[in-house]
CSV table of all heavy atoms in Angstrom, one decimal:
chain,number,residue,atom,x,y,z
A,76,PRO,N,-28.9,6.4,22.0
A,76,PRO,CA,-30.3,6.7,22.4
A,76,PRO,C,-30.9,5.5,23.1
A,76,PRO,O,-30.5,4.3,22.9
A,76,PRO,CB,-31.0,7.0,21.1
A,76,PRO,CG,-30.2,6.2,20.1
A,76,PRO,CD,-28.8,6.3,20.5
A,142,VAL,N,7.5,-18.1,-22.5
A,142,VAL,CA,8.8,-17.5,-22.7
A,142,VAL,C,9.7,-18.1,-21.6
A,142,VAL,O,9.2,-18.3,-20.4
A,142,VAL,CB,8.7,-16.0,-22.5
A,142,VAL,CG1,10.1,-15.4,-22.5
A,142,VAL,CG2,8.0,-15.4,-23.7
A,198,GLU,N,25.4,13.9,-9.6
A,198,GLU,CA,23.9,14.2,-9.6
A,198,GLU,C,23.2,13.2,-8.7
A,198,GLU,O,23.6,12.0,-8.6
A,198,GLU,CB,23.4,14.1,-11.0
A,198,GLU,CG,23.8,15.2,-11.9
A,198,GLU,CD,23.0,15.2,-13.2
A,198,GLU,OE1,21.8,15.3,-13.2
A,198,GLU,OE2,23.7,15.0,-14.3
A,218,GLY,N,25.5,0.8,-17.6
A,218,GLY,CA,25.1,-0.5,-17.2
A,218,GLY,C,24.2,-0.5,-16.0
A,218,GLY,O,23.5,-1.5,-15.8
A,285,ASP,N,2.3,-8.3,-22.8
A,285,ASP,CA,1.8,-8.4,-21.5
A,285,ASP,C,0.2,-8.4,-21.6
A,285,ASP,O,-0.3,-7.4,-22.1
A,285,ASP,CB,2.3,-7.3,-20.6
A,285,ASP,CG,2.0,-7.6,-19.1
A,285,ASP,OD1,0.9,-7.9,-18.8
A,285,ASP,OD2,3.0,-7.4,-18.3
A,314,TRP,N,-17.2,-14.7,-2.1
A,314,TRP,CA,-16.1,-15.6,-2.4
A,314,TRP,C,-15.5,-15.5,-3.8
A,314,TRP,O,-14.3,-15.6,-4.0
A,314,TRP,CB,-16.4,-17.0,-2.0
A,314,TRP,CG,-16.5,-17.2,-0.5
A,314,TRP,CD1,-17.6,-17.5,0.2
A,314,TRP,CD2,-15.4,-17.0,0.4
A,314,TRP,NE1,-17.3,-17.6,1.5
A,314,TRP,CE2,-16.0,-17.3,1.7
A,314,TRP,CE3,-14.1,-16.7,0.3
A,314,TRP,CZ2,-15.2,-17.2,2.9
A,314,TRP,CZ3,-13.3,-16.7,1.5
A,314,TRP,CH2,-13.9,-16.9,2.7
A,323,HIS,N,-6.0,-12.2,-9.7
A,323,HIS,CA,-5.6,-11.2,-10.7
A,323,HIS,C,-4.4,-10.4,-10.3
A,323,HIS,O,-3.5,-10.2,-11.1
A,323,HIS,CB,-6.8,-10.1,-10.9
A,323,HIS,CG,-6.5,-9.1,-11.9
A,323,HIS,ND1,-6.6,-9.3,-13.2
A,323,HIS,CD2,-6.0,-7.8,-11.7
A,323,HIS,CE1,-6.2,-8.2,-13.9
A,323,HIS,NE2,-5.8,-7.3,-13.0
A,352,TYR,N,-13.0,-15.0,5.5
A,352,TYR,CA,-14.1,-15.6,6.2
A,352,TYR,C,-14.5,-14.8,7.5
A,352,TYR,O,-15.7,-14.6,7.7
A,352,TYR,CB,-13.8,-17.0,6.6
A,352,TYR,CG,-14.9,-17.7,7.5
A,352,TYR,CD1,-16.1,-18.1,6.9
A,352,TYR,CD2,-14.7,-17.9,8.8
A,352,TYR,CE1,-17.1,-18.6,7.7
A,352,TYR,CE2,-15.7,-18.4,9.6
A,352,TYR,CZ,-16.9,-18.8,9.0
A,352,TYR,OH,-17.9,-19.4,9.8
A,360,ARG,N,-21.8,-10.0,5.8
A,360,ARG,CA,-23.1,-10.7,5.8
A,360,ARG,C,-24.2,-9.9,6.3
A,360,ARG,O,-25.4,-10.2,6.0
A,360,ARG,CB,-23.0,-12.0,6.7
A,360,ARG,CG,-22.8,-11.8,8.2
A,360,ARG,CD,-22.5,-13.1,8.9
A,360,ARG,NE,-22.3,-12.9,10.3
A,360,ARG,CZ,-23.1,-13.3,11.3
A,360,ARG,NH1,-24.3,-13.8,10.9
A,360,ARG,NH2,-22.9,-13.1,12.5
A,373,GLU,N,-27.0,-0.9,-7.7
A,373,GLU,CA,-26.2,-0.2,-6.6
A,373,GLU,C,-25.1,-1.1,-6.1
A,373,GLU,O,-24.1,-0.6,-5.7
A,373,GLU,CB,-27.2,0.3,-5.5
A,373,GLU,CG,-28.0,1.4,-5.9
A,373,GLU,CD,-28.6,2.2,-4.6
A,373,GLU,OE1,-27.8,2.5,-3.7
A,373,GLU,OE2,-29.8,2.3,-4.5
A,506,PHE,N,2.0,-11.3,3.9
A,506,PHE,CA,1.7,-10.8,5.2
A,506,PHE,C,2.9,-10.4,5.9
A,506,PHE,O,3.4,-11.1,6.9
A,506,PHE,CB,0.9,-11.9,6.0
A,506,PHE,CG,-0.5,-12.2,5.4
A,506,PHE,CD1,-0.7,-13.4,4.7
A,506,PHE,CD2,-1.5,-11.3,5.4
A,506,PHE,CE1,-1.9,-13.7,4.2
A,506,PHE,CE2,-2.7,-11.5,4.9
A,506,PHE,CZ,-3.0,-12.8,4.2
A,564,LEU,N,35.2,5.3,-4.4
A,564,LEU,CA,34.6,5.1,-5.7
A,564,LEU,C,35.1,6.2,-6.6
A,564,LEU,O,35.1,7.4,-6.3
A,564,LEU,CB,33.0,5.3,-5.6
A,564,LEU,CG,32.3,4.3,-4.8
A,564,LEU,CD1,30.8,4.6,-4.8
A,564,LEU,CD2,32.5,2.9,-5.2
A,584,GLN,N,42.3,7.7,-16.6
A,584,GLN,CA,42.4,8.3,-17.9
A,584,GLN,C,42.5,9.9,-17.8
A,584,GLN,O,41.6,10.5,-17.1
A,584,GLN,CB,41.3,7.9,-18.8
A,584,GLN,CG,41.4,8.5,-20.2
A,584,GLN,CD,40.2,8.0,-21.1
A,584,GLN,OE1,39.5,7.0,-20.7
A,584,GLN,NE2,40.0,8.7,-22.2
Side-chain angles (χ1 to χ4, degrees):
V142 172
E198 290 188 63
D285 192 311
W314 287 114
H323 179 80
Y352 174 73
R360 67 189 177 109
E373 286 199 52
F506 295 109
L564 299 182
Q584 182 179 343

